[in-house]
Amino acid sequence: MASGPNYKVKFRRRREGKTNYYRRYVYVLSKATRLVIRITNKYVVAQIVKFDPKGDKTVVMAHSIELAKKFGWKGDTNNTSAAYLTGYLLGLRARKAGVESAVLDIGLFTPTVGSKIFYAAKGAVDAGLKLPLGEDLKFDEDRIKGAHVAEYASKLETENPEKFNRIFSGYLKRGLNPKDLVAHFQEVLNKIKTGEK
């Protein structure tokens, strides 16, 4: 590690790759309500966070594990469909808590077209939250519903059943044939709409 009279050690959270302090500074100055979305190896987490001088306050949150526990979701908890459903769930809760609009906070994630973070944001927008996403973002409705997964599963089941069972073992274990993912997505979305009213 470099040392010397002119060397300045970065803040711990910056060294760990957890916080971009310049972006954080801009958010603090704007005092904007933020839609914070984080995607881990297993889950999608979405929160509405308001600035407070003593520390940020989380107004509402949604976690993709809730999809499985409360609404019967049998798909993966970190795929595109789960990201959209988690965002939609958060959007409904935000509206109920009186939050009309927010700005998207993606942390240190590099913005990429078609990424799960933007599909989670799309879910929040579809639930009625005002969120400036820009004109360039395009969303594939079939991808949201999991049609690409169902199509691949159908093809794989006929061509290589052994590989099908290996790749989709999680789905099959949870009692969902991946070919039925589109219908299952719609069913869970309807449960979220009625359950969160």
Side-chain angles (χ1 to χ4, degrees), residues 41-111:
N41 289 338
K42 286 187 173 184
Y43 304 111
V44 178
V45 182
Q47 301 171 316
I48 295 290
V49 177
K50 284 191 175 179
F51 168 75
D52 188 282
K54 294 176 183 174
D56 289 353
K57 290 188 176 171
T58 303
V59 180
V60 287
M61 81 166 286
H63 197 289
S64 60
I65 196 69
E66 292 179 80
L67 301 176
K69 290 186 174 178
K70 290 183 181 176
F71 302 102
W73 175 249
K74 293 177 184 170
D76 287 335
T77 51
N78 74 333
N79 64 10
T80 304
S81 300
Y84 177 86
L85 291 170
T86 305
Y88 195 91
L89 181 61
L90 180 88
L92 291 178
R93 289 178 178 172
R95 294 297 308 280
K96 201 186 281 187
V99 177
E100 297 291 324
S101 62
V103 294
L104 185 60
D105 178 354
I106 59 173
L108 294 173
F109 180 81
T110 303

Side-chain angles (χ1 to χ4, degrees), residues 11-25:
F11 290 125
R12 178 184 55 81
R13 287 186 62 85
R14 183 64 197 138
R15 289 194 316 265
E16 292 172 355
K18 291 180 179 175
T19 303
N20 179 333
Y21 281 97
Y22 176 73
R23 196 176 285 168
R24 172 87 186 125
Y25 171 74

Side-chain angles (χ1 to χ4, degrees), residues 177-189:
N177 188 322
K179 294 187 295 184
D180 304 328
L181 187 60
V182 176
H184 181 61
F185 170 87
Q186 199 57 53
E187 179 190 321
V188 172
L189 183 60

Side-chain angles (χ1 to χ4, degrees), residues 80-184:
T80 304
S81 300
Y84 177 86
L85 291 170
T86 305
Y88 195 91
L89 181 61
L90 180 88
L92 291 178
R93 289 178 178 172
R95 294 297 308 280
K96 201 186 281 187
V99 177
E100 297 291 324
S101 62
V103 294
L104 185 60
D105 178 354
I106 59 173
L108 294 173
F109 180 81
T110 303
T112 310
V113 174
S115 69
K116 292 182 257 186
I117 281 189
F118 293 118
Y119 278 98
K122 163 88 169 133
V125 168
D126 287 353
L129 189 68
K130 289 180 187 146
L131 197 67
L133 288 178
E135 304 294 317
D136 300 337
L137 279 177
K138 301 282 186 276
F139 297 98
D140 184 353
E141 292 296 325
D142 287 340
R143 193 165 187 81
I144 289 172
K145 295 172 184 169
H148 62 297
V149 175
E151 191 179 305
Y152 177 63
S154 253
K155 181 182 170 200
L156 198 61
E157 191 177 31
T158 54
E159 291 175 3
N160 191 341
E162 187 184 319
K163 190 176 180 184
F164 169 82
N165 288 329
R166 190 175 71 247
I167 288 177
F168 294 107
S169 62
Y171 284 82
L172 298 169
K173 196 168 157 185
R174 292 186 291 266
L176 174 67
N177 188 322
K179 294 187 295 184
D180 304 328
L181 187 60
V182 176
H184 181 61

